[in-house]
Amino acid sequence: MRQHTRDAMAKGEKTERLAVLPAWRETAYFDPVERGALELAELVTDIATADRSDHYPTGVAALTADQVAAVTWVIIAINTLNRVAITSGYPVKPA
């Protein structure tokens, strides 16, 4: 997480947006495409409790088919690495 934050800031991301990321639904910091990607990330990541009544939530409609495919693959790759780290007991070192 720290490395991702450092990388995002090095690429010009604002601390205000990073600080409110967990509450992205309640802010106006993210445009419709970003909101769609965040909604898709939640859907793909939270497989146990995500609402499957619709294939994709309405916010994902802001993304093109190519964006949905690309974002989904990135989410799957990150989730895979996180799950490997969690199940292997990989220690998180303080900064």
Side-chain angles (χ1 to χ4, degrees), residues 5-68:
T5 301
R6 279 192 290 259
D7 290 347
M9 291 177 72
K11 292 182 178 177
E13 187 55 74
K14 306 282 186 258
T15 43
E16 294 86 9
R17 285 172 35 108
L18 292 171
V20 298
L21 190 55
W24 67 267
R25 291 179 189 274
E26 288 82 37
T27 72
Y29 281 100
F30 304 97
D31 67 33
V33 171
E34 292 168 328
R35 296 173 76 76
L38 290 166
E39 195 166 6
L40 183 57
E42 288 181 352
L43 177 76
V44 173
T45 300
D46 192 8
I47 58 176
T49 61
D51 179 9
R52 301 277 179 232
S53 60
D54 230 354
H55 184 62
Y56 287 121
T58 56
V60 178
L63 302 171
T64 67
D66 286 346
Q67 288 172 320
V68 169

